[in-house]
């Protein structure tokens, strides 16, 4: 079988955003927002419901969730900026 491959006469300098790429960025941003809010609210709730002295393991876990959310938000911002 003989295949002929041709290239476009005008090079494509920059491809536009596809719908899938926009959906990926929006999903990462949504998950990041949810994790950031959940970690922050759970940390505050741990302080309130434990009388002001929650165990450090609980706080470390909730703050880790918040940091993961912050990281996801930063990643989505970097992805969106690099594609625009």
């Amino acid at each position: 079988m003989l295949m002929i491959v041709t290239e476009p006469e005008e090079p494509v300098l920059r491809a536009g955003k596809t719908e899938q790429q926009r959906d990926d960025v929006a999903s990462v941003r949504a998950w990041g927002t949810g994790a950031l809010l959940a970690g922050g609210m759970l940390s505050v709730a741990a302080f309130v419901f434990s009388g002001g002295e929650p165990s450090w393991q609980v706080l470390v876990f909730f703050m880790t969730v918040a940091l993961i959310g912050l990281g996801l938000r930063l990643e989505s911002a970097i992805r969106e900026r690099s594609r625009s």
Side-chain angles (χ1 to χ4, degrees):
M1 173 183 244
L2 179 64
M3 293 182 64
I4 299 174
V5 179
T6 61
E7 295 182 13
E9 292 179 14
E10 296 179 14
V12 177
L13 298 177
R14 184 171 243 195
K17 287 184 184 179
T18 64
E19 190 66 31
Q20 179 65 33
Q21 289 171 335
R22 279 186 238 132
D23 289 345
D24 289 346
V25 170
S27 295
V28 170
R29 185 182 308 122
W31 279 101
T33 301
L36 184 61
L37 289 175
M41 290 188 320
L42 289 171
S43 295
V44 170
F47 273 113
V48 170
F49 292 119
S50 68
E53 294 183 17
S55 66
W56 66 271
Q57 294 96 343
V58 171
L59 284 180
V60 167
F61 177 75
F62 291 154
M63 294 308 289
T64 302
V65 171
L67 285 174
I68 289 170
L70 180 63
L72 289 173
R73 292 283 302 185
L74 288 171
E75 179 184 355
S76 69
I78 290 169
R79 279 187 185 182
E80 188 172 35
R81 185 171 175 105
S82 69
R83 291 190 178 136
S84 62

